[in-house]
Amino acid sequence: MELEGMHMNICVGLRSIENIEKYIYAGATEFYCGVFDSHWLEKYGYIVGINRRPYPNSNISDFFELENVVKKVHKYNCKVFFTVNEHFYIDKQMDLIRSHITNAINCGVDAIIVSDISLVNYLSEIGGINIHISTGGTVFNSLTAQFYQKNRGVSRIIMPREVTVKEISEISKNMPTVEYEVFMLNEGCINIDGFCNHVHGLNYVADNGTFCNYKYSVGCMLKYTLKKGMIYGKEILQKGEIIYKINNASSRCGDCGLCAIYQFKDCGITSLKLVGRATNPEKVISDIKIIKNAIEISRKSIEFDEYSKILKREICQNELDNKFHYCYYPDLWRDLS
């Protein structure tokens, strides 16, 4: 028996025009990307990002390439979203930011992904383009979703990693007129993205005029000295579990949300985000196929228990004694246990 459920897109990061057809043939239907061009680089370098990936190998090189990317993606009736999603910008950056947005719109992108409320206001005022709220927009409840959608005309919200499956379901139920996107594979973070101001471009700073790629670590990748965390006299996490989480984050172990697809297919989720714009293309293709396979399994499964058993047997990567260090949505299992 195959159950009917909402169609879910697979949204994939792009860094160039290459491999688009391979990604689409694998199952991707949406793409997100940014432009990190010479205009920004000459003015602000790598430390001040125009998006949350201020690296050349994570972005499209210029708007000429972006235009060709959009044309190729649209040829297959798929969509392209443009990222200008740093958490905030200063006034003197806004002219260049607006220029990037105008160029992206002229290239034909289908939406702009933003975090900064001033850019949300700007896009709402100019109109004519779909607005997607980045995970940096910190939507943790339906009132925030209502504000963005009803007051600013936002069409999609990318949910923070920290929101539980139950909370996502409640938000989408209370605000069904907006699309929702959730994280699915790769690059989990130990911090709440929208409240984090670590400088991602630090590993590209120059030392004596030359690149020092990965010589300097991003703040959230540093090794921590930990003490026991207590709230109202109750230990919040075992020290060993925190260390394991930090080690996984710093070693770039791929976090996973595949188990939640069974719940997401019936609670208004529009898109599943595959994280990583600089990831090796072969891994991207493999991950797209994994997500697509999981969606098909969820549609054919009568109940969650059946889905989870097939998933664990065929494609699950979480073999950590039920600690779920790799899991985007560990609450799913805690609620079921």
Side-chain angles (χ1 to χ4, degrees):
M1 176 181 179
E2 182 171 337
L3 299 180
E4 293 298 324
M6 175 177 284
H7 172 74
M8 288 185 288
N9 296 293
I10 301 175
C11 189
V12 177
L14 284 178
R15 59 177 173 175
S16 73
I17 197 168
E18 298 178 11
N19 302 305
I20 288 175
E21 286 98 341
K22 292 180 180 179
Y23 294 166
I24 292 174
Y25 294 152
T29 52
E30 297 177 341
F31 299 93
Y32 62 96
C33 60
V35 169
F36 193 70
D37 64 1
S38 59
H39 298 291
W40 186 271
L41 183 57
E42 290 170 3
K43 202 170 183 66
Y44 299 109
Y46 297 99
I47 297 298
V48 181
I50 193 169
N51 59 57
R52 296 297 286 170
R53 290 293 184 271
Y55 324 123
N57 68 343
S58 298
N59 286 274
I60 289 170
S61 59
D62 54 43
F63 288 98
F64 177 77
E65 185 179 11
L66 177 63
E67 184 177 15
N68 289 327
V69 164
V70 173
K71 288 179 179 177
K72 179 170 283 191
V73 171
H74 284 177
K75 176 183 174 182
Y76 294 93
N77 295 318
C78 297
K79 296 181 178 181
V80 179
F81 311 136
F82 184 72
T83 59
V84 195
N85 62 329
E86 275 297 337
H87 300 156
F88 58 86
Y89 303 94
I90 59 177
D91 288 343
K92 68 179 182 179
Q93 294 173 332
M94 293 309 294
D95 285 344
L96 188 51
I97 295 289
R98 294 188 186 102
S99 175
H100 271 67
I101 289 173
T102 299
N103 289 336
I105 293 173
N106 290 339
C107 288
V109 298
D110 298 281
I112 307 291
I113 303 175
V114 291
S115 298
D116 188 330
I117 188 62
S118 66
L119 284 188
V120 177
N121 293 337
Y122 171 70
L123 291 170
S124 178
E125 290 170 2
I126 66 173
I129 186 68
N130 289 316
I131 308 170
H132 291 185
I133 297 298
S134 165
T135 180
T138 57
V139 176
F140 289 105
N141 54 60
S142 55
L143 289 178
T144 311
Q146 182 182 49
F147 165 80
Y148 279 128
Q149 202 278 323
K150 292 190 174 181
N151 296 331
R152 297 298 183 269
V154 165
S155 60
R156 178 180 294 190
I157 291 171
I158 304 168
M159 302 303 296
R161 292 174 174 87
E162 295 74 23
V163 182
T164 67
V165 173
K166 182 179 179 181
E167 289 167 339
I168 292 171
S169 179
E170 290 174 350
I171 292 170
S172 64
K173 181 180 179 180
N174 291 332
M175 277 299 299
T177 55
V178 64
E179 296 179 351
Y180 296 93
E181 184 176 315
V182 295
F183 287 89
M184 196 44 51
L185 283 179
N186 303 331
E187 293 190 23
C189 183
I190 60 175
N191 299 316
I192 297 175
D193 194 296
F195 302 147
C196 173
N197 290 313
H198 283 309
V199 180
H200 286 170
L202 188 61
N203 52 4
Y204 273 89
V205 298
D207 187 1
N208 298 323
T210 59
F211 282 140
C212 293
N213 195 7
Y214 300 113
K215 178 177 179 179
Y216 301 103
S217 182
V218 179
C220 46
M221 296 294 106
L222 295 174
K223 299 299 181 182
Y224 288 80
T225 299
L226 298 170
K227 296 182 179 180
K228 185 181 296 185
M230 305 289 290
I231 295 180
Y232 301 121
K234 182 179 179 181
E235 187 173 345
I236 54 174
L237 282 174
Q238 293 182 356
K239 184 176 179 180
E241 184 175 352
I242 300 175
I243 292 173
Y244 211 115
K245 282 180 176 290
I246 290 174
N247 287 340
N248 283 336
S250 61
S251 62
R252 291 296 185 188
C253 289
D255 283 44
C256 177
L258 294 174
C259 288
I261 288 178
Y262 186 86
Q263 278 74 18
F264 287 153
K265 70 184 176 67
D266 294 319
C267 69
I269 301 304
T270 300
S271 188
L272 306 177
K273 178 181 286 293
L274 178 57
V275 187
R277 302 182 218 172
T279 306
N280 180 285
E282 295 306 313
K283 174 169 171 47
V284 174
I285 292 168
S286 174
D287 286 344
I288 293 170
K289 291 179 179 179
I290 287 172
I291 297 173
K292 184 178 180 181
N293 188 21
I295 292 172
E296 291 303 313
I297 294 171
S298 74
R299 290 178 60 84
K300 294 177 180 178
S301 299
I302 298 175
E303 55 186 21
F304 177 75
D305 186 58
E306 177 187 0
Y307 170 70
S308 62
K309 286 180 179 177
I310 298 173
L311 199 67
K312 185 173 183 179
R313 183 174 70 243
E314 296 188 4
I315 56 179
C316 184
Q317 63 174 297
N318 201 340
E319 299 292 342
L320 294 169
D321 300 323
N322 296 324
K323 293 290 185 181
F324 305 110
H325 300 293
Y326 289 160
C327 190
Y328 270 128
Y329 310 104
D331 60 290
L332 175 64
W333 293 101
R334 289 168 184 155
D335 289 345
L336 290 172
S337 62

PDB file of all heavy atoms in Angstrom, residues 20 35 40 50 71 135 218 220 226 228 266 270 295-296 308 328 335:
ATOM      1  N   ILE A  20      25.071  20.291 -12.695  1.00  0.00           N
ATOM      2  CA  ILE A  20      23.643  20.555 -12.495  1.00  0.00           C
ATOM      3  C   ILE A  20      22.796  19.406 -13.023  1.00  0.00           C
ATOM      4  O   ILE A  20      21.878  18.927 -12.333  1.00  0.00           O
ATOM      5  CB  ILE A  20      23.234  21.897 -13.141  1.00  0.00           C
ATOM      6  CG1 ILE A  20      23.799  23.069 -12.341  1.00  0.00           C
ATOM      7  CG2 ILE A  20      21.712  22.011 -13.241  1.00  0.00           C
ATOM      8  CD1 ILE A  20      23.562  24.424 -12.967  1.00  0.00           C
ATOM      9  N   VAL A  35      26.825  34.434  -4.676  1.00  0.00           N
ATOM     10  CA  VAL A  35      27.894  34.971  -5.514  1.00  0.00           C
ATOM     11  C   VAL A  35      28.884  35.691  -4.610  1.00  0.00           C
ATOM     12  O   VAL A  35      28.505  36.576  -3.841  1.00  0.00           O
ATOM     13  CB  VAL A  35      27.346  35.941  -6.580  1.00  0.00           C
ATOM     14  CG1 VAL A  35      28.494  36.700  -7.250  1.00  0.00           C
ATOM     15  CG2 VAL A  35      26.536  35.190  -7.629  1.00  0.00           C
ATOM     16  N   TRP A  40      32.901  42.414  -3.875  1.00  0.00           N
ATOM     17  CA  TRP A  40      32.828  42.208  -2.432  1.00  0.00           C
ATOM     18  C   TRP A  40      34.206  41.895  -1.858  1.00  0.00           C
ATOM     19  O   TRP A  40      34.600  42.418  -0.815  1.00  0.00           O
ATOM     20  CB  TRP A  40      31.854  41.076  -2.105  1.00  0.00           C
ATOM     21  CG  TRP A  40      31.635  40.920  -0.632  1.00  0.00           C
ATOM     22  CD1 TRP A  40      32.354  40.150   0.233  1.00  0.00           C
ATOM     23  CD2 TRP A  40      30.659  41.599   0.164  1.00  0.00           C
ATOM     24  NE1 TRP A  40      31.883  40.291   1.509  1.00  0.00           N
ATOM     25  CE2 TRP A  40      30.838  41.168   1.497  1.00  0.00           C
ATOM     26  CE3 TRP A  40      29.656  42.502  -0.124  1.00  0.00           C
ATOM     27  CZ2 TRP A  40      30.037  41.624   2.535  1.00  0.00           C
ATOM     28  CZ3 TRP A  40      28.850  42.954   0.915  1.00  0.00           C
ATOM     29  CH2 TRP A  40      29.056  42.519   2.227  1.00  0.00           C
ATOM     30  N   ILE A  50      29.272  37.968   2.689  1.00  0.00           N
ATOM     31  CA  ILE A  50      27.999  38.408   2.111  1.00  0.00           C
ATOM     32  C   ILE A  50      26.939  37.333   2.309  1.00  0.00           C
ATOM     33  O   ILE A  50      25.744  37.580   2.236  1.00  0.00           O
ATOM     34  CB  ILE A  50      28.149  38.747   0.616  1.00  0.00           C
ATOM     35  CG1 ILE A  50      26.908  39.497   0.120  1.00  0.00           C
ATOM     36  CG2 ILE A  50      28.430  37.500  -0.207  1.00  0.00           C
ATOM     37  CD1 ILE A  50      27.069  40.095  -1.262  1.00  0.00           C
ATOM     38  N   LYS A  71      19.416  29.751 -16.169  1.00  0.00           N
ATOM     39  CA  LYS A  71      18.886  29.289 -17.458  1.00  0.00           C
ATOM     40  C   LYS A  71      18.922  27.770 -17.548  1.00  0.00           C
ATOM     41  O   LYS A  71      17.954  27.145 -17.996  1.00  0.00           O
ATOM     42  CB  LYS A  71      19.696  29.901 -18.609  1.00  0.00           C
ATOM     43  CG  LYS A  71      19.446  31.378 -18.833  1.00  0.00           C
ATOM     44  CD  LYS A  71      20.315  31.910 -19.971  1.00  0.00           C
ATOM     45  CE  LYS A  71      20.056  33.395 -20.207  1.00  0.00           C
ATOM     46  NZ  LYS A  71      20.950  33.952 -21.269  1.00  0.00           N
ATOM     47  N   THR A 135      17.664  29.905   8.007  1.00  0.00           N
ATOM     48  CA  THR A 135      17.675  29.374   9.373  1.00  0.00           C
ATOM     49  C   THR A 135      18.178  30.425  10.358  1.00  0.00           C
ATOM     50  O   THR A 135      17.844  30.400  11.536  1.00  0.00           O
ATOM     51  CB  THR A 135      18.549  28.103   9.448  1.00  0.00           C
ATOM     52  OG1 THR A 135      18.544  27.593  10.773  1.00  0.00           O
ATOM     53  CG2 THR A 135      19.991  28.403   9.057  1.00  0.00           C
ATOM     54  N   VAL A 218      37.675  28.123  12.638  1.00  0.00           N
ATOM     55  CA  VAL A 218      36.465  28.841  13.013  1.00  0.00           C
ATOM     56  C   VAL A 218      36.203  28.599  14.501  1.00  0.00           C
ATOM     57  O   VAL A 218      36.506  27.521  15.022  1.00  0.00           O
ATOM     58  CB  VAL A 218      35.275  28.345  12.171  1.00  0.00           C
ATOM     59  CG1 VAL A 218      34.002  29.073  12.563  1.00  0.00           C
ATOM     60  CG2 VAL A 218      35.574  28.541  10.690  1.00  0.00           C
ATOM     61  N   CYS A 220      33.671  27.874  16.331  1.00  0.00           N
ATOM     62  CA  CYS A 220      32.884  26.713  16.760  1.00  0.00           C
ATOM     63  C   CYS A 220      33.601  25.391  16.484  1.00  0.00           C
ATOM     64  O   CYS A 220      33.115  24.331  16.867  1.00  0.00           O
ATOM     65  CB  CYS A 220      31.507  26.726  16.099  1.00  0.00           C
ATOM     66  SG  CYS A 220      31.528  27.063  14.340  1.00  0.00           S
ATOM     67  N   LEU A 226      35.363  21.619  29.029  1.00  0.00           N
ATOM     68  CA  LEU A 226      33.967  21.562  29.461  1.00  0.00           C
ATOM     69  C   LEU A 226      33.830  21.360  30.954  1.00  0.00           C
ATOM     70  O   LEU A 226      34.616  20.665  31.588  1.00  0.00           O
ATOM     71  CB  LEU A 226      33.250  20.423  28.735  1.00  0.00           C
ATOM     72  CG  LEU A 226      33.178  20.539  27.210  1.00  0.00           C
ATOM     73  CD1 LEU A 226      32.673  19.246  26.614  1.00  0.00           C
ATOM     74  CD2 LEU A 226      32.267  21.685  26.819  1.00  0.00           C
ATOM     75  N   LYS A 228      30.538  20.663  33.897  1.00  0.00           N
ATOM     76  CA  LYS A 228      29.193  20.105  33.942  1.00  0.00           C
ATOM     77  C   LYS A 228      28.161  21.226  33.816  1.00  0.00           C
ATOM     78  O   LYS A 228      28.233  22.239  34.506  1.00  0.00           O
ATOM     79  CB  LYS A 228      28.975  19.346  35.244  1.00  0.00           C
ATOM     80  CG  LYS A 228      27.633  18.620  35.338  1.00  0.00           C
ATOM     81  CD  LYS A 228      27.474  17.905  36.666  1.00  0.00           C
ATOM     82  CE  LYS A 228      28.498  16.810  36.825  1.00  0.00           C
ATOM     83  NZ  LYS A 228      28.261  16.042  38.068  1.00  0.00           N
ATOM     84  N   ASP A 266       3.726  14.525   5.837  1.00  0.00           N
ATOM     85  CA  ASP A 266       2.311  14.825   6.075  1.00  0.00           C
ATOM     86  C   ASP A 266       2.099  16.062   6.942  1.00  0.00           C
ATOM     87  O   ASP A 266       1.000  16.285   7.432  1.00  0.00           O
ATOM     88  CB  ASP A 266       1.622  13.621   6.739  1.00  0.00           C
ATOM     89  CG  ASP A 266       1.553  12.413   5.815  1.00  0.00           C
ATOM     90  OD1 ASP A 266       1.269  12.609   4.618  1.00  0.00           O
ATOM     91  OD2 ASP A 266       1.795  11.293   6.280  1.00  0.00           O
ATOM     92  N   THR A 270       7.799  21.441   2.552  1.00  0.00           N
ATOM     93  CA  THR A 270       7.937  21.587   1.109  1.00  0.00           C
ATOM     94  C   THR A 270       9.269  21.065   0.597  1.00  0.00           C
ATOM     95  O   THR A 270       9.340  20.496  -0.494  1.00  0.00           O
ATOM     96  CB  THR A 270       7.817  23.084   0.713  1.00  0.00           C
ATOM     97  OG1 THR A 270       6.543  23.566   1.123  1.00  0.00           O
ATOM     98  CG2 THR A 270       7.985  23.274  -0.781  1.00  0.00           C
ATOM     99  N   ILE A 295      12.498   9.153   0.806  1.00  0.00           N
ATOM    100  CA  ILE A 295      11.160   9.689   0.521  1.00  0.00           C
ATOM    101  C   ILE A 295      10.258   8.591  -0.033  1.00  0.00           C
ATOM    102  O   ILE A 295       9.102   8.448   0.383  1.00  0.00           O
ATOM    103  CB  ILE A 295      11.248  10.871  -0.470  1.00  0.00           C
ATOM    104  CG1 ILE A 295      11.943  12.071   0.172  1.00  0.00           C
ATOM    105  CG2 ILE A 295       9.849  11.278  -0.947  1.00  0.00           C
ATOM    106  CD1 ILE A 295      12.237  13.208  -0.796  1.00  0.00           C
ATOM    107  N   GLU A 296      10.793   7.809  -0.961  1.00  0.00           N
ATOM    108  CA  GLU A 296      10.000   6.721  -1.558  1.00  0.00           C
ATOM    109  C   GLU A 296       9.632   5.673  -0.517  1.00  0.00           C
ATOM    110  O   GLU A 296       8.514   5.166  -0.503  1.00  0.00           O
ATOM    111  CB  GLU A 296      10.784   6.083  -2.710  1.00  0.00           C
ATOM    112  CG  GLU A 296      10.953   6.978  -3.919  1.00  0.00           C
ATOM    113  CD  GLU A 296       9.607   7.444  -4.467  1.00  0.00           C
ATOM    114  OE1 GLU A 296       8.705   6.602  -4.627  1.00  0.00           O
ATOM    115  OE2 GLU A 296       9.451   8.649  -4.706  1.00  0.00           O
ATOM    116  N   SER A 308      11.064   3.039   9.666  1.00  0.00           N
ATOM    117  CA  SER A 308      12.336   3.121  10.378  1.00  0.00           C
ATOM    118  C   SER A 308      13.128   1.817  10.258  1.00  0.00           C
ATOM    119  O   SER A 308      14.360   1.848  10.161  1.00  0.00           O
ATOM    120  CB  SER A 308      12.104   3.472  11.849  1.00  0.00           C
ATOM    121  OG  SER A 308      11.339   2.484  12.500  1.00  0.00           O
ATOM    122  N   TYR A 328      19.656  15.036  13.487  1.00  0.00           N
ATOM    123  CA  TYR A 328      19.099  16.380  13.520  1.00  0.00           C
ATOM    124  C   TYR A 328      17.874  16.457  14.428  1.00  0.00           C
ATOM    125  O   TYR A 328      17.588  17.505  15.005  1.00  0.00           O
ATOM    126  CB  TYR A 328      18.677  16.808  12.112  1.00  0.00           C
ATOM    127  CG  TYR A 328      19.745  17.510  11.313  1.00  0.00           C
ATOM    128  CD1 TYR A 328      20.081  17.084  10.033  1.00  0.00           C
ATOM    129  CD2 TYR A 328      20.419  18.623  11.821  1.00  0.00           C
ATOM    130  CE1 TYR A 328      21.054  17.729   9.291  1.00  0.00           C
ATOM    131  CE2 TYR A 328      21.389  19.280  11.090  1.00  0.00           C
ATOM    132  CZ  TYR A 328      21.703  18.822   9.822  1.00  0.00           C
ATOM    133  OH  TYR A 328      22.663  19.471   9.086  1.00  0.00           O
ATOM    134  N   ASP A 335      10.644  10.896  21.963  1.00  0.00           N
ATOM    135  CA  ASP A 335       9.190  10.907  22.120  1.00  0.00           C
ATOM    136  C   ASP A 335       8.607   9.508  21.944  1.00  0.00           C
ATOM    137  O   ASP A 335       7.580   9.175  22.556  1.00  0.00           O
ATOM    138  CB  ASP A 335       8.545  11.863  21.110  1.00  0.00           C
ATOM    139  CG  ASP A 335       8.814  13.324  21.437  1.00  0.00           C
ATOM    140  OD1 ASP A 335       9.251  13.597  22.572  1.00  0.00           O
ATOM    141  OD2 ASP A 335       8.624  14.169  20.557  1.00  0.00           O
TER     142      ASP A 335
END
